[in-house]
Amino acid sequence: MRLKPKANVRAIRHGSPWVFDNELVMDRRSKAIAPGTIALLEDHERQPLGTVAVNPESRIVARMLDRNADADIDTAWFAKRLSKALSLRERLYDAPFYRLVHAEGDGLPGVVIDRFGDTCVVQPNAAWAETHLDALVDALVSVTGVTNVLKNAGGRGRTLEGLDAEDTVLRGAAPDAAVPVEMNGATYMADLTGGQKTGLFFDQRDNQAFVARLAKGERVLDVFSHVGGFGLAALAGGAAHATCVDGSAAALALASEGAARMGAAERFTARQGDAFDTLAEMAGEDARFGLVICDPPAFAPAKQAVDKGLRAYERIARLAAPLVAEDGYLVLCSCSHAADLNSFTGACLRGIGRSGRRAQLLYSGAAGADHPLLPQLAESGYLKALVFRL
């Protein structure tokens, strides 16, 4: 694959991992390359730049795999990348529950792997990873010693890459029940086969730990709670009571089970419903909480959705702020990589202001260190968590 003369070669040499269709010479032969093929990337003067994975059917035609133009993308290559990723996680965490591979941040473009003890859930969200899945899984089992490997095919990226949406068991067996995960003193129940994404969101771990410090003795409202992310962490931090709101009855059942396992069932309430509607209903009920958290799904998953997404974040802030008691805390989160921190913060402050409240910004958090950011790829730093005192 060869770059056009006007392509930004310097960015690629400095670590940019993606090459788009308008940067490459896409002749008939290039367009006929099978998705997932490994190729040599050259600049317009035919100087080698590295080994790339190719998918002519995607806007991201080439993904940089290795700066070595002669790299063999085989089991040994995967094992080296996975060993490097594992060494970081084992230094950070004393139990094998974490994101093991964070795609480009760990040098495996489009690949996400979450670990739950002796089970790994793999999301091969790029064609090259699907094509080389056997080698990846062989290396994963060899490096980590896990006995079960599941494939989750629900990632949005797979659709963009022209891949199927079929979940499968790649090694061993799928667990026959939700897996308990201990984080920040809380117990979460992760459904590895029927839940959202890989079953649990590890990325908020550090932010949940901070928020738990504010929760002691407070009534807590966790909106878009999934399996109880912030709510259960608040209970572990000594909250008087936590109410979790989510649209999924299955997720709330897992949150309830987690609270019971923590011995906190009497301090926990699940409320199923649309988040926007429930916030409005609670305002009508004159409900007040010392701590309110809103951690919605991505409202702005792509650049064309940014304006609409920011309006949704503003609306969430406007509806949530009146439920916060005086001198209480409001936590607002975004996992939309297309909405940057400044834009998201502005939307939150507009919503808070339009509710008639004023705010201090206490904390700005991102994903934990098991979600390493590739500085040359803004999309790898997607998570934002803001803590306000009202």
Side-chain angles (χ1 to χ4, degrees):
M1 302 297 292
R2 192 167 70 253
L3 292 174
K4 293 179 179 178
K6 293 184 179 181
N8 191 348
V9 181
R10 180 178 296 179
I12 295 169
R13 286 200 172 105
H14 289 178
S16 179
W18 293 351
V19 188
F20 291 90
D21 52 3
N22 60 353
E23 299 177 287
L24 290 159
V25 176
M26 295 299 295
D27 56 20
R28 185 169 57 184
R29 187 181 64 172
S30 298
K31 292 177 181 178
I33 293 175
T37 296
I38 306 302
L40 168 68
L41 179 67
E42 298 177 335
D43 66 16
H44 71 283
E45 296 178 341
R46 298 187 181 275
Q47 295 301 306
L49 295 171
T51 300
V52 293
V54 178
N55 184 355
E57 298 177 9
S58 170
R59 270 221 64 214
I60 306 170
V61 173
R63 298 173 186 263
M64 184 64 71
L65 300 181
D66 202 304
R67 298 292 157 179
N68 177 6
D70 298 317
D72 289 325
I73 309 304
D74 55 11
T75 302
W77 183 89
F78 279 110
K80 186 175 181 179
R81 294 289 167 104
L82 291 169
S83 295
K84 186 179 180 71
L86 179 63
S87 67
L88 172 64
R89 278 68 178 183
E90 289 185 333
R91 182 175 290 269
L92 292 171
Y93 306 110
D94 57 7
F97 295 88
Y98 40 67
R99 173 148 293 183
L100 174 62
V101 170
H102 188 52
E104 282 80 357
D106 283 298
L108 290 168
V111 178
V112 169
I113 303 177
D114 283 347
R115 184 174 184 180
F116 301 88
D118 64 355
T119 299
C120 279
V121 181
V122 179
Q123 285 189 315
N125 294 327
W128 81 276
E130 186 79 15
T131 302
H132 295 81
L133 195 54
D134 287 343
L136 169 60
V137 173
D138 286 344
L140 179 62
V141 171
S142 174
V143 168
T144 64
V146 298
T147 54
N148 309 305
V149 181
L150 313 180
K151 171 186 165 184
N152 179 291
R156 175 175 173 268
R158 289 183 63 84
T159 302
L160 299 176
E161 288 278 302
L163 301 173
D164 66 58
E166 183 180 352
D167 297 343
T168 57
V169 177
L170 301 172
R171 293 285 193 282
D176 55 9
V179 176
V181 178
E182 304 287 337
M183 286 196 302
N184 298 320
T187 301
Y188 299 97
M189 304 306 298
D191 182 354
L192 306 191
T193 56
Q196 291 183 40
K197 300 290 178 123
T198 61
L200 190 66
F201 298 102
F202 287 121
D203 53 1
Q204 291 280 22
R205 185 191 321 235
D206 294 350
N207 302 321
Q208 289 162 353
F210 179 85
V211 169
R213 293 165 55 191
L214 305 174
K216 188 173 183 179
E218 301 287 359
R219 295 181 67 244
V220 176
L221 176 64
D222 181 7
V223 185
F224 304 99
S225 68
H226 190 226
V227 297
F230 282 92
L232 297 186
L235 289 176
H241 188 273
T243 298
C244 282
V245 175
D246 201 271
S248 167
L252 290 174
L254 292 172
S256 298
E257 184 179 347
R261 288 188 178 227
M262 294 166 57
E266 294 182 355
R267 295 187 288 137
F268 177 84
T269 300
R271 180 164 172 169
Q272 185 183 2
D274 174 81
F276 293 95
D277 292 345
T278 302
L279 288 170
E281 290 166 5
M282 286 185 162
E285 298 163 8
D286 204 28
R288 292 292 182 274
F289 301 88
L291 174 61
V292 175
I293 306 103
C294 296
D295 183 17
F299 287 150
K303 288 182 180 180
Q304 58 267 33
V306 168
D307 290 344
K308 182 179 179 181
L310 290 174
R311 289 194 296 272
Y313 289 124
E314 179 182 329
R315 184 183 174 203
I316 283 287
R318 178 173 57 79
L319 291 171
L323 302 179
V324 180
E326 185 70 21
D327 296 330
Y329 305 94
L330 175 61
V331 183
L332 298 171
C333 305
S334 166
C335 59
S336 299
H337 68 77
D340 63 36
L341 177 60
N342 287 338
S343 298
F344 175 62
T345 303
C348 293
L349 290 173
R350 285 193 298 275
I352 293 169
R354 287 173 180 172
S355 76
R357 305 296 297 273
R358 297 185 65 184
Q360 298 169 291
L361 179 59
L362 306 184
Y363 171 93
S364 178
D370 57 342
H371 292 63
L373 186 151
L374 181 65
Q376 298 87 350
L377 186 67
E379 287 85 348
S380 62
Y382 63 97
L383 186 66
K384 297 159 283 286
L386 304 178
V387 180
F388 299 94
R389 187 172 187 243
L390 302 192

